[in-house]
Amino acid sequence: MSNSPDSREGSFASDRRGFLRTLGAAGFGALLAPTVPRQMQAAPETMVEATAGELYAWPEKIPLKLITDRPPQAETPMSLFKTEITPNEAFYVRTHLAGIPTRIDTAKHTVKVGGQVEKPFEITFDDLCKMPKTDLVAVNQCSGNSRALFRPQVPGVQWGNGAMGNAKWTGVKLKDLLERAGVKAGAVEVAFDGLDTGVIAATPDYVKAIPLERALHPDTIVAWAMNDAPLPLLNGFPLRLVVPGWYATYWIKWLTNIEVRGEALANFWMKPAYRIPTSADASETPEALSKDTVPINKMNVRSFIVEPAAEAEVKLKDGCVISGIAFDGGSGIAKVEVSTDGGKSWTDAKLGPDLGNYSFRRFTYAWKPAKDGAYRLMSRATAGDSAQQPMLPIWNRSGYMRNLVEPTFVFVA
């Protein structure tokens, strides 16, 4: 019997109305686990019946905030981050090129491993899934998460705070594939390509590269499952790269090609795109742009208050539990503090279960306000490497790596 995460045939409804009828009859729990097909089809973008900012349900997704419909991009509302793990159906969607696959047959899907290696090879999806597997929980966050909040504004996808999610990823260690190929002396990095394409020939193929050292890290994996289910198509089915602790620009979806390189990749997506100033906090000013930049890499420390929601009304007699999530680029969360007076004073929150250094860490703080009125709540995370969220925002021309302490305004009555 195959060890593959999925060995069935079939297809999803080919139009949005049909998909929603299926969802209404069965629910997402019934739709995903037992009936995820070998061949999958996404609703065509012409069926989108929403505009930017509205909620829209792509196939395999509950309604998420629509950012763009071509390519499909949607962010997770903050209210859905109430647990450490982000459900697959609530996971945000980030797509760079409009030509995304709409049907993939895992019986025919392969990944090539080549370049500066002794023994290049091609492996089928089923054979890859038979290799020794590994699991890890890790946050996937877009480099431009929260870009819409940058002032002055910068160009690019105008994300709010929801271009992120945390999942359990299951797959094989990338180092096992590279060791099978035999990396040649002089190799410096590894590049990755997927099935997505531009709609015109002049569009640069979305190929990204990571240093060889990061590629050989035991936590870098080629994943075939997400939260113990096949990857949603819009999140990279059937295979995607997982580079925990690093921004999602490197987490190539619909993976088909792995190339070991003897020199740094210099395509559009590595330079000029996805680069940050060399300053310690990746900041610059509009008046003095940094002349020196490097490819974006490790995530910085962040936290968000999820409950109470912004502008919520809290009953004076009852108070509430302030709760949220915190994460960083792999050193783990050492402490989260909460302020109920706009940052004048801070109190340690209670940390939730530790699912690993790459994961969301939940925090809670029982709050009983002394009087009614408007309050500015804040959370401030400190990572295992002692990095702490700043009180002031950074700025850079690309709108990357925002991580300041974000206020949440509530009313007590």
Side-chain angles (χ1 to χ4, degrees), residues 286-350:
E287 298 77 24
L289 297 179
S290 175
K291 295 180 180 179
D292 298 319
T293 62
V294 295
I296 195 169
N297 47 81
K298 185 179 176 182
M299 294 189 295
N300 50 15
V301 62
R302 299 198 80 174
S303 70
F304 295 96
I305 290 175
V306 177
E307 293 183 299
E311 300 184 6
E313 184 173 298
V314 177
K315 294 183 183 296
L316 177 62
K317 64 176 182 177
D318 298 332
C320 70
V321 174
I322 298 171
S323 65
I325 52 173
F327 61 98
D328 85 319
S331 67
I333 295 300
K335 178 173 67 174
V336 176
E337 301 163 282
V338 169
S339 174
T340 59
D341 56 12
K344 296 177 182 178
S345 62
W346 297 88
T347 305
D348 286 356
K350 180 181 178 181

Side-chain angles (χ1 to χ4, degrees), residues 66-306:
L66 181 68
I67 304 299
T68 64
D69 62 352
R70 184 176 174 87
Q73 301 189 104
E75 74 172 71
T76 305
M78 190 58 63
S79 62
L80 298 180
F81 293 115
K82 294 179 181 178
T83 57
E84 288 88 355
I85 297 295
T86 310
N88 290 3
E89 62 268 28
F91 217 91
Y92 85 106
V93 175
R94 169 63 166 123
T95 313
H96 290 83
L97 305 181
I100 66 171
T102 58
R103 188 181 293 271
I104 300 172
D105 186 350
T106 57
K108 299 177 182 178
H109 190 78
T110 63
V111 176
K112 294 180 180 179
V113 182
Q116 298 297 305
V117 298
E118 301 290 347
K119 298 170 290 185
F121 67 94
E122 186 171 357
I123 187 169
T124 67
F125 173 78
D126 286 338
D127 285 343
L128 186 145
C129 292
K130 293 173 185 176
M131 294 177 61
K133 73 171 188 176
T134 187
D135 297 312
L136 63 84
V137 178
V139 174
N140 174 293
Q141 180 186 207
C142 181
S143 308
N145 193 22
S146 312
R147 181 183 286 122
L149 304 179
F150 273 64
R151 295 294 181 272
Q153 284 187 295
V154 297
V157 180
Q158 296 300 299
W159 296 107
N161 290 328
M164 62 180 181
N166 187 48
K168 173 188 174 186
W169 307 94
T170 302
V172 301
K173 295 178 180 179
L174 176 61
K175 69 186 293 290
D176 289 349
L177 294 170
L178 296 178
E179 288 173 356
R180 173 175 166 179
V183 176
K184 289 182 178 180
V188 297
E189 66 179 25
V190 183
F192 306 88
D193 194 7
L195 290 173
D196 49 334
T197 62
V199 294
I200 61 174
T203 302
D205 191 14
Y206 190 71
V207 179
K208 296 289 292 189
I210 59 176
L212 180 62
E213 180 183 11
R214 194 67 185 84
L216 292 173
H217 192 287
D219 292 339
T220 303
I221 70 174
V222 174
W224 45 257
M226 180 177 171
N227 293 330
D228 298 317
L231 298 161
L233 182 64
L234 290 173
N235 295 119
F237 176 89
L239 295 170
R240 83 172 301 169
L241 186 68
V242 171
V243 189
W246 283 37
Y247 284 97
T249 179
Y250 299 101
W251 296 41
I252 294 294
K253 298 182 289 294
W254 313 294
L255 184 65
T256 58
N257 193 67
I258 299 170
E259 180 194 11
V260 179
R261 296 179 55 85
E263 59 183 6
L265 180 64
N267 68 354
F268 171 81
W269 300 106
M270 295 296 295
K271 187 177 184 179
Y274 285 104
R275 297 182 73 87
I276 55 175
T278 55
S279 56
D281 60 356
S283 66
E284 56 189 350
T285 67
E287 298 77 24
L289 297 179
S290 175
K291 295 180 180 179
D292 298 319
T293 62
V294 295
I296 195 169
N297 47 81
K298 185 179 176 182
M299 294 189 295
N300 50 15
V301 62
R302 299 198 80 174
S303 70
F304 295 96
I305 290 175
V306 177

Side-chain angles (χ1 to χ4, degrees), residues 322-390:
I322 298 171
S323 65
I325 52 173
F327 61 98
D328 85 319
S331 67
I333 295 300
K335 178 173 67 174
V336 176
E337 301 163 282
V338 169
S339 174
T340 59
D341 56 12
K344 296 177 182 178
S345 62
W346 297 88
T347 305
D348 286 356
K350 180 181 178 181
L351 295 180
D354 186 352
L355 302 184
N357 282 357
Y358 302 114
S359 172
F360 281 163
R361 189 82 183 266
R362 286 195 57 74
F363 64 86
T364 56
Y365 174 73
W367 179 43
K368 189 72 167 63
K371 60 181 181 179
D372 60 11
Y375 285 79
R376 186 168 61 160
L377 310 181
M378 294 178 168
S379 65
R380 181 173 67 184
T382 301
D385 61 4
S386 299
Q388 187 179 78
Q389 288 181 265

